[in-house]
Amino acid sequence: MASFTPKLVLFLLLLFSHHTTLSSSTSTLRDDLLGAARAPSFASWLRGLRRRIHQHPELAFQEHRTSELVRAELDALGVSYVWPVARTGGVATIAGGGGVGPVVALRADMDALPLQELVDWEYKSLETGKMHACGHDAHVTMLLGAAKLLQYRKKDLKGTVKLVFQPAEESYGGAYYILKEGALDDVEAIFGLHVSPHLPVGVVASRPGPFLAASARFSATVAGKAGHAGGPHDAVDPIVAASSTVLGLQQLVARETDPLEAAVVSVTLLRGGDGDNVIPESATFGGTVRSMTDEGLSYLMKRVKEVVQGQATVHRCAATVDFMEEELRPYPATVNDEGMYAHAKAVAEAMLGEANVKTAPRSMGAEDFAFYAQRAAGAFFFIGVGNETTMDRVSPVHSPHFVMDEEVLPIGAAFHASVAVEYLK
């Protein structure tokens, strides 16, 4: 008969306990939360919410109608909230009845994009030049679904869940302003979802550590001296200076960045004069800089300014560089907390099955969820909305042709709620 040391016995007991808990959680998450969210009446309610929001998209810090809808639904559920937060946002609170515990937050962004929707369907945008082309209508809907699931189970929660309905994710850093107002000062962990048309419905993906890039935008103006194109020696040509600068900026990645580190300098606009025989007074150009680290972004921003001003001097011009840091605040890198990522991954595997939880590649896209992840243990996941069997084509986010499979709505609602429920156990 084999003999067991005390340490081995303890290990076996812990292993058995973990297996029992995981099996129990799997049953709860699949049958209770996901099953409830997929119930016909619940799923129909979710679809209705998403379509109402989709028909009336609102841009950053203009989400008045969306915010009103959110508050009406929270009122109907009996969920308390603070409003306004960061102008058009709100933070709801579900306090558990199972005893004192930690505070965990779930976040959804609300703003739309300045695009004209080109998808011809019954619930297309009714607002000219505005569209929910990044899935924020689904994000709001899924978080309201989580609110409903959690409110009906709050007596069993050992802690508090905060639901963050955030404005202005697109470029304007709404998360920064939510935090600035102190609405999440007591939160120790936060979770967020973003739809992905490149993943099929029923699949989620993320990764621990650095996930999304830090990013900033810049605008540069090169000033010279206007003159006739036939007499360039009597002018100071800002077009030549700007052109040389654009080429010079490419060296920041090619020759100044470690090849094993990800970085981007993209000049995406360039404007000069109006006549084909006139050297203009000035030229402007701009774009974005990105890095997988905050330090890398700071370096690129410093060097962009130096290169622009240096090249202008070489060409007898003057130059200014504006990173628009007050209006378009640079976003930090989104870094998933190892522990919170592992928690959300385990929840997803229990609810959806291990085969449907993928490791996502790092992306040079940026997200203001990064601000939350700097202040609390954060986990940010992509959730699939693609379905090649029912869609004519799968278009990326920020496309006027973007569509999604609404079967994602109950999955996202249950995933949100499950992360909170399991965290508070």
Side-chain angles (χ1 to χ4, degrees), residues 123-179:
Y123 300 99
K124 71 182 299 182
S125 172
L126 299 177
E127 309 295 334
T128 302
K130 301 176 186 178
M131 178 189 176
H132 270 295
C134 201
H136 297 189
D137 51 343
H139 298 171
V140 174
T141 299
M142 291 186 289
L143 192 54
L144 285 171
K148 192 170 189 175
L149 293 170
L150 292 167
Q151 181 70 350
Y152 290 168
R153 294 159 178 79
K154 69 176 184 177
K155 63 178 175 51
D156 299 321
L157 298 178
K158 297 179 180 179
T160 301
V161 183
K162 288 197 170 183
L163 310 171
V164 183
F165 295 92
Q166 178 208 306
E169 186 278 327
E170 300 289 354
S171 302
Y172 289 89
Y176 172 85
Y177 298 99
I178 291 279
L179 291 168

Side-chain angles (χ1 to χ4, degrees), residues 1 25 32 57 97 115 150 165 186 300 306 312 387 400:
M1 185 175 181
S25 295
D32 181 16
L115 287 176
L150 292 167
F165 295 92
D186 56 349
L300 289 175
E306 291 173 350
N387 190 334

Side-chain angles (χ1 to χ4, degrees), residues 52-117:
R52 286 162 59 194
I53 298 168
H54 188 86
Q55 285 187 301
H56 297 282
E58 297 168 300
L59 303 182
F61 292 123
Q62 300 173 22
E63 307 93 334
H64 302 289
R65 184 177 185 137
T66 306
S67 180
E68 183 179 357
L69 179 149
V70 167
R71 298 195 310 273
E73 293 298 329
L74 293 174
D75 286 336
L77 293 172
V79 175
S80 63
Y81 54 84
V82 176
W83 178 88
V85 180
R87 293 162 58 177
T88 51
V91 177
T93 300
I94 298 176
V100 178
V103 181
V104 62
L106 308 173
R107 172 268 202 167
D109 39 13
M110 302 190 295
D111 55 324
L113 289 164
L115 287 176
Q116 182 63 46
E117 182 168 7

